[in-house]
Amino acid sequence: MNKLFPKGRLVSLAVPLIAVALGILIGAVVMLVSGYNPVLGYSALLSGIFSESYYIGETIRSMTPLILAGLAVAFAFRTGLFNIGVEGQVIVGWLASVYVGIIFDLPTIIHLPLAILAGALAGAMWGFIPGFLKARFQVHEVIVTIMMNYIALYTVNYLIRAYLLVPGERTESISPSASLASPFLQSITDYSRLHYGFIVALLGCLVMWFILWRTSKGYELRAVGFNQHASMYAGMNVQRNIVLSMVISGGFAGVAGAMEGLGTYGYMSILSGFSGVGFDGIAVALLGANTAIGVMLASFLFGGLQVGAITMQSRAGVPTELVDIVIALIIFFVASSYLIRWIMNRIKKEGI
């Protein structure tokens, strides 16, 4: 048993589970203090996730971009970088995929992969800039990526207004040959917005795992993340690996944007603010311990909370903002993992 589940791994698994439990528990206290019934609220929340096929479809649909955005953050973190610019990379990937979906008239077997690839390349390009500045001039990637989020938002809005605008403050709809929409998946989920992008997200999990743990380049990327000086002494090109890491991370984020443009909506609207997908991806990666399987499970939790919050408000009268409080509490406790580990050690020592 100890060989299958070493002590360190058990603790790593326990921390996010305890964080979720504490977040839900304190969220219940907040509901109670605010005058709401937490039992009724959480019952409505669970009902809004599992009670009907429509809600299940919407939960999986909501998971799809969160998985890819979480992979983007997790990949960078695994290689020693903090890509807080995933939101901007999602936005440019969204526009690029929609643009390719509009202007080309090709068979689906070519058009759809080309549109997804366009989203990945746009995100990768947006990730290349902070990666290059970090590698060449030692400019911290957090500062650059934060600024590039705003550059992406306002540049994309300008491009839509100047070249792609149609009535409704949005672009034209993409060609059916570039769409991820699935009449079959919609029909079996009571006509939710579930689409084939979920398969792309699962493939993304496999790609991240394979690159990092089954390739020599992945080993180099992780080594550079652990210790740049030792990696340089071992003959690795540290600067090139930093840039490559941000490019791959941005590629994942760009595909997350493509899932929204080619799957959920089929177009892109002028954004009044950030989509939130990229920022939620940070929380997903944090809760998922920066692993592919962890990101997938964490995205299910976050996607379910987002979808279930609507039912919680309609059936129990609990404001959706309370779900945001629960999510924030979960993130807080994951970030306070040292405190959780300390409590676990105390309990073990005292034999409680």
Side-chain angles (χ1 to χ4, degrees):
M1 181 68 179
N2 289 335
K3 290 182 179 180
L4 290 175
F5 297 101
K7 180 182 176 182
R9 182 168 294 183
L10 283 174
V11 173
S12 298
L13 289 172
V15 168
L17 292 176
I18 293 172
V20 171
L22 289 173
I24 292 172
L25 179 62
I26 297 180
V29 174
V30 173
M31 286 187 206
L32 201 60
V33 171
S34 303
Y36 300 103
N37 185 334
V39 175
L40 184 60
Y42 282 134
S43 297
L45 179 69
L46 291 173
S47 177
I49 302 173
F50 300 109
S51 64
E52 298 178 16
S53 60
Y54 173 83
Y55 295 130
I56 295 174
E58 280 296 301
T59 298
I60 298 174
R61 191 275 311 166
S62 182
M63 285 175 61
T64 300
L66 291 179
I67 291 174
L68 291 158
L71 292 176
V73 178
F75 190 95
F77 196 84
R78 281 285 182 183
T79 57
L81 299 168
F82 188 17
N83 183 8
I84 205 170
V86 170
E87 179 68 26
Q89 294 150 17
V90 166
I91 291 172
V92 297
W94 188 342
L95 179 65
S97 63
V98 167
Y99 179 73
V100 171
I102 292 172
I103 66 168
F104 290 108
D105 184 14
L106 298 167
T108 299
I109 195 171
I110 298 174
H111 200 181
L112 180 55
L114 184 64
I116 296 173
L117 180 62
L121 290 176
M125 179 194 71
W126 219 250
F128 169 82
I129 298 171
F132 174 78
L133 293 175
K134 169 78 171 184
R136 185 68 177 83
F137 303 106
Q138 294 301 305
V139 181
H140 204 290
E141 71 276 8
V142 171
I143 303 300
V144 179
T145 51
I146 287 174
M147 293 189 294
M148 291 197 68
N149 284 336
Y150 290 93
I151 295 171
L153 174 63
Y154 295 117
T155 300
V156 164
N157 281 349
Y158 166 75
L159 291 174
I160 293 175
R161 284 195 178 96
Y163 304 106
L164 301 170
L165 190 65
V166 299
E169 295 290 295
R170 66 181 184 89
T171 67
E172 295 179 25
S173 295
I174 60 172
S175 170
S177 59
S179 176
L180 285 164
S182 168
F184 169 71
L185 292 177
Q186 291 172 5
S187 66
I188 64 174
T189 55
D190 198 18
Y191 299 97
S192 71
R193 292 176 291 173
L194 181 60
H195 54 78
Y196 287 124
F198 182 62
I199 298 174
V200 177
L202 293 181
L203 290 175
C205 292
L206 290 175
V207 168
M208 173 181 160
W209 170 80
F210 183 79
I211 291 175
L212 286 179
W213 302 101
R214 288 294 182 270
T215 67
S216 58
K217 179 54 68 175
Y219 176 81
E220 277 193 32
L221 291 170
R222 289 186 288 115
V224 170
F226 280 124
N227 192 316
Q228 292 187 12
H229 299 292
S231 300
M232 188 180 299
Y233 183 77
M236 299 178 188
N237 191 322
V238 172
Q239 293 185 341
R240 184 183 300 166
N241 280 299
I242 289 173
V243 175
L244 179 61
S245 173
M246 288 299 294
V247 166
I248 295 174
S249 176
F252 278 121
V255 175
M259 297 303 98
E260 295 291 78
L262 305 178
T264 302
Y265 298 102
Y267 59 85
M268 186 174 189
S269 300
I270 292 176
L271 300 174
S272 58
F274 292 122
S275 68
V277 172
F279 295 123
D280 287 343
I282 298 173
V284 165
L286 187 63
L287 182 61
N290 300 300
T291 63
I293 185 66
V295 164
M296 186 174 66
L297 294 174
S299 67
F300 174 75
L301 174 64
F302 278 68
L305 288 173
Q306 290 174 358
V307 172
I310 301 171
T311 307
M312 189 172 70
Q313 183 181 39
S314 62
R315 295 185 183 179
V318 180
T320 56
E321 287 78 11
L322 278 171
V323 170
D324 294 331
I325 292 175
V326 172
I327 291 174
L329 287 167
I330 292 171
I331 297 169
F332 170 79
F333 285 115
V334 172
S336 305
S337 59
Y338 175 80
L339 176 63
I340 295 176
R341 292 172 192 271
W342 180 82
I343 293 172
M344 290 174 66
N345 288 333
R346 292 287 296 180
I347 292 173
K348 184 177 179 180
K349 286 180 181 179
E350 294 177 11
I352 299 176

